[in-house]
Amino acid sequence: MGNSDESPSRGIAKGIDESGLGPAALASIGSVALALYYYYVRGEEQRGQFVGLWPMTILGMATYLKLEQIRKQLEETDE
């Protein structure tokens, strides 16, 4: 690990974007709003339920991509 007071994992944690899943969270909130619009305003219940499934998919994909980014950063520090 070296003589540094800062561990590699602490350096990686500082490098990760502080905003977290910002765009994914906004897209998820937007899809919930769209689902509610379709379901209640337009009366298209089936479409509203379908769109209501998108937030979990969006957040799951964003989490996967973030974990892949962290894994690659960890591999780079091990080299």
Side-chain angles (χ1 to χ4, degrees):
M1 305 271 166
N3 294 335
S4 174
D5 290 338
E6 189 172 309
S7 69
S9 61
R10 190 175 293 247
I12 291 171
K14 286 183 181 178
I16 296 174
D17 187 19
E18 292 290 327
S19 65
L21 302 173
L26 291 176
S28 295
I29 292 168
S31 66
V32 168
L34 185 62
L36 293 172
Y37 169 76
Y38 277 131
Y39 195 89
Y40 291 110
V41 176
R42 296 198 52 185
E44 299 177 24
E45 294 177 359
Q46 192 170 17
R47 185 178 297 224
Q49 291 170 356
F50 173 71
V51 174
L53 295 173
W54 294 356
M56 290 76 65
T57 305
I58 294 168
L59 292 175
M61 182 58 95
T63 302
Y64 171 76
L65 293 173
K66 184 65 78 172
L67 288 173
E68 279 297 307
Q69 176 187 4
I70 293 169
R71 184 185 61 80
K72 287 179 183 178
Q73 288 178 350
L74 283 171
E75 286 177 354
E76 289 174 3
T77 58
D78 289 342
E79 294 175 354

